[in-house]
Amino acid sequence: MRALGWLVLLALAGSTWADESVSICYDYGCAAEARVVYSEPRLVEIRARLALADNAVAERAVLAQVVGQLYRWAGEQSPIHADRAGDFLDDGVDGKMDCIDHAESTTRLLHMLEVRGMLRFHDVDQIRRRTRWLVTQHFSAVIRARDEGAARFVVDSWFGEHGDPAVILPLEEWLDGEGPNVS
């Protein structure tokens, strides 16, 4: 607990940032967008949580939780709180998010963390698409590990309920169809 206190103090001392505004996509295919604002105290909390990670594996574990938290806070300011896992449980609801909305929004959130220097072991990569059986496709945000031979990992918030931790998988496994079944 003492270490966490020191990390929070360090984050506060090194913080000269202001609140951050991020555009979040929703209503399928980014048909609508909402500007959400993350306050500096909330961003300091996120910085402290990510600072606890001492390697890439640990950073991915914390990042999964952080992405869920960022979505919960975004849901306080936008209709995305109505989003449900997958695409069918929230059909017709304002605030629903498909994989395109999640891939775009998560990438924007990851870029915010990256620009603020909160990602120490990963860089944000391009959104990826997987196609299965020539009829289904799925999109996800991607990060690249700086060590580990530049391995890539999806950061997929689409699989879970609103605000659940993101699913983080090696890109190759995700491309092969891995991930929770939400159909």
Side-chain angles (χ1 to χ4, degrees), residues 161-182:
E161 295 293 326
H162 172 73
D164 281 354
V167 171
I168 300 183
L169 292 168
L171 176 62
E172 292 306 318
E173 290 179 19
W174 179 84
L175 288 170
D176 284 341
E178 290 298 318
N181 183 357
V182 293

Side-chain angles (χ1 to χ4, degrees), residues 15-59:
S15 177
T16 58
W17 299 89
D19 294 351
E20 185 83 40
S21 174
V22 177
S23 185
I24 301 295
C25 291
Y26 62 97
D27 281 350
Y28 290 9
C30 287
E33 294 190 39
R35 280 303 232 191
V36 300
V37 176
Y38 295 100
S39 68
E40 183 58 21
R42 284 183 164 177
L43 293 171
V44 167
E45 176 187 329
I46 295 299
R47 179 182 297 279
R49 289 171 67 184
L50 284 164
L52 293 172
D54 60 357
N55 60 52
V57 173
E59 186 169 81

Side-chain angles (χ1 to χ4, degrees), residues 66-102:
V66 162
V67 168
Q69 181 65 65
L70 291 169
Y71 272 107
R72 285 191 299 279
W73 288 335
E76 294 171 0
Q77 304 172 53
S78 70
I80 69 163
H81 59 83
D83 183 44
R84 302 284 311 276
D87 286 341
F88 303 112
L89 298 173
D90 57 7
D91 191 33
V93 175
D94 186 36
K96 65 187 179 282
M97 298 175 76
D98 65 4
C99 63
I100 295 168
D101 297 321
H102 278 280

